Amino acid sequence: KRALCMPSTSSTNQGLDAHPAPALLEQIRGAVDDDVAHETSKYTWWSKHEGSTSERDRTFRSRRLALLYVAKRNSEQLCDYAESAGTDWEALFPTSGTHVLRPNRPFDLHAMLELGDDAMQEWCDAVCNAFSRYKVVKGSLYRYQPRPRKVVEAAELYAILQREGADAEELDHTRRQALLLSDIAGFD
């Protein structure tokens, strides 16, 4: 009997070079965006969601790096489910309709690199949705969560350290908070 969730023997994941070519690393990396923290989170559950935890997992320099990581980890998790359920990966996704997955196979680096970032995001989301559709009793889901990142440079920090008291923006924020609290409490 063939392995239920193993990539085929012709898979391009087999025999990956320990020292990949710079062009391959560039293709894996994608466009670096230092204005965004490309974070991933890990949600783990057990006993049909009677217990669960959620945590930050990793931060990457590009969306593509984060998506490749999420695709790989979720593929591993869904493979574990498929094997425990005694089914093939391909049987988890229909060939047409709402829950189609393309490519419909476990994570394969070279196949994933052929996808654009949006298509890869759709692949990751579809794999995550399969956990809900099949009511998986226990496992972990990885999600991509971009967050805006404002890096404070040395000159900006120096200006903050030199001033005395709050700046106009901080004072305005404090006034808005006081108004909101007085409005909630019913004060005029």
Side-chain angles (χ1 to χ4, degrees):
K1 182 177 179 181
R2 82 177 181 91
L4 299 173
C5 207
M6 297 302 294
S8 68
T9 54
S10 64
S11 171
T12 53
N13 278 350
Q14 302 297 320
L16 285 178
D17 189 357
H19 303 286
L24 177 60
L25 289 178
E26 184 69 27
Q27 193 178 8
I28 290 170
R29 184 178 308 111
V32 172
D33 180 3
D34 288 328
D35 293 333
V36 176
H38 301 280
E39 295 179 356
T40 60
S41 64
K42 178 183 178 183
Y43 172 72
T44 302
W45 73 98
W46 54 90
S47 301
K48 298 182 181 179
H49 294 273
E50 286 183 23
S52 65
T53 62
S54 187
E55 62 187 276
R56 280 187 180 167
D57 189 38
R58 296 175 190 247
T59 302
F60 296 89
R61 294 210 53 212
S62 73
R63 178 182 183 203
R64 189 162 190 83
L65 288 170
L67 289 172
L68 284 165
Y69 174 76
V70 166
K72 172 69 171 171
R73 298 306 304 255
N74 285 337
S75 176
E76 292 168 345
Q77 292 291 314
L78 194 58
C79 280
D80 289 347
Y81 165 73
E83 289 174 9
S84 70
T87 188
D88 287 331
W89 173 282
E90 292 81 12
L92 298 174
F93 299 95
T95 57
S96 64
T98 306
H99 303 292
V100 171
L101 182 69
R102 288 195 179 91
N104 186 8
R105 62 180 175 204
F107 182 88
D108 176 84
L109 178 60
H110 294 287
M112 295 306 284
L113 290 176
E114 292 176 13
L115 300 176
D117 289 357
D118 290 339
M120 194 180 315
Q121 176 91 51
E122 288 175 19
W123 192 93
C124 291
D125 292 344
V127 170
C128 282
N129 290 338
F131 288 95
S132 297
R133 286 196 334 271
Y134 291 101
K135 304 197 181 335
V136 177
V137 175
K138 66 177 184 167
S140 294
L141 284 179
Y142 294 81
R143 296 268 188 189
Y144 167 62
Q145 299 177 316
R147 298 191 195 290
R149 175 170 50 189
K150 184 175 187 225
V151 176
V152 176
E153 299 294 339
E156 183 181 355
L157 177 60
Y158 182 76
I160 292 169
L161 297 173
Q162 291 300 316
R163 73 170 182 246
E164 293 189 22
D167 67 5
E169 184 179 318
E170 290 175 38
L171 291 173
D172 187 44
H173 175 73
T174 303
R175 279 193 290 273
R176 286 194 315 271
Q177 291 296 320
L179 285 172
L180 178 62
L181 289 174
S182 67
D183 199 32
I184 291 171
F187 300 123
D188 290 340

